[in-house]
């Protein structure tokens, strides 16, 4: 999993919305997630011999995954630097900008918000800075034409607008 990082102290840049989403997930996992796993473990223990207890082993594995995700979120949030809208430079494509692109081959326009990989949501037009299109347009300006090597093939794109 990659996110946009800066050179100074391994800071992870993210939008305010992305930060709040990760924080909400962390709070939920710490409370509801741990509670559910605890209940699963208690129930599995009641089945007797733990050495051959598939439910117990499944619950322990789920607990390990949950704790790993909690640790990952804690690390990301501790290194997060929230990019506020008034800090975003719209002279070029950066994290947090809303970019209108024209696919020169399909003659269609698309608008995306550039986010870090944790915030990616293609259904809501949020693409990762580390995606093929994100990598092709990051740092570019209005009027620039780029080539993005996406899973669906090579796309020729022109940047029409950059805003917050």
């Amino acid at each position: 999993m990659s996110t946009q990082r800066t050179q100074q102290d391994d800071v992870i840049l993210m939008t305010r919305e992305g930060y709040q989403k990760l924080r909400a997930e962390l709070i939920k996992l710490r409370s509801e997630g741990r509670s559910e796993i605890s209940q699963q473990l208690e129930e599995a223990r009641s089945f007797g011999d733990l050495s051959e207890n598939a439910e117990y082993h499944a619950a322990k594995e789920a607990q390990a995954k949950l704790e790993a995700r909690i640790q990952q979120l804690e690390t990301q949030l501790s290194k997060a630097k929230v990019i506020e809208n008034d800090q975003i430079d719209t002279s070029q494509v950066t994290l947090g900008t809303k970019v209108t692109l024209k696919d020169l081959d399909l003659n269609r326009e698309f608008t995306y918000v550039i986010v870090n990989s944790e915030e990616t949501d293609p259904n809501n037009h949020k693409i990762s800075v580390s995606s093929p299109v994100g990598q092709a347009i990051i740092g570019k300006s209005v009027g620039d034409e780029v080539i993005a090597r996406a899973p669906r093939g090579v796309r020729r794109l022109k940047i029409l607008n950059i805003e917050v």
Side-chain angles (χ1 to χ4, degrees), residues 13-150:
L13 301 176
M14 61 180 63
T15 63
R16 164 100 20 226
E17 181 183 357
Y19 181 87
Q20 290 171 337
K21 180 181 166 190
L22 293 183
R23 191 166 180 276
E25 180 184 354
L26 177 61
I27 290 168
K28 184 176 180 180
L29 292 178
R30 281 179 173 164
S31 58
E32 294 172 29
R34 283 179 171 159
S35 178
E36 281 178 32
I37 296 292
S38 178
Q39 288 172 359
Q40 290 172 10
L41 286 167
E42 280 302 312
E43 185 178 329
R45 281 189 191 105
S46 72
F47 297 144
D49 184 11
L50 298 181
S51 64
E52 295 181 17
N53 186 328
E55 288 84 1
Y56 178 78
H57 293 291
K60 288 298 279 183
E61 187 174 317
Q63 182 183 38
K65 287 180 182 177
L66 174 79
E67 293 302 326
R69 179 63 179 157
I70 288 172
Q71 186 175 15
Q72 179 186 36
L73 289 170
E74 288 172 343
T75 299
Q76 287 180 320
L77 292 171
S78 72
K79 294 180 178 184
K81 179 178 188 302
V82 175
I83 303 298
E84 301 293 352
N85 286 348
D86 62 354
Q87 297 173 323
I88 297 174
D89 174 9
T90 57
S91 68
Q92 62 181 2
V93 178
T94 61
L95 188 79
T97 54
K98 183 177 187 177
V99 184
T100 303
L101 303 168
K102 181 173 187 173
D103 187 311
L104 299 174
D105 296 319
L106 300 176
N107 200 28
R108 290 180 51 203
E109 290 185 15
F110 303 91
T111 301
Y112 298 113
V113 177
I114 308 304
V115 296
N116 74 28
S117 61
E118 282 291 325
E119 300 175 71
T120 301
D121 184 358
N123 294 331
N124 288 313
H125 308 284
K126 294 180 179 182
I127 63 168
S128 170
V129 69
S130 58
S131 70
V133 171
Q135 288 179 341
I137 64 175
I138 200 77
K140 304 295 185 203
S141 302
V142 172
D144 287 351
E145 292 184 17
V146 298
I147 294 176
R149 287 169 176 72

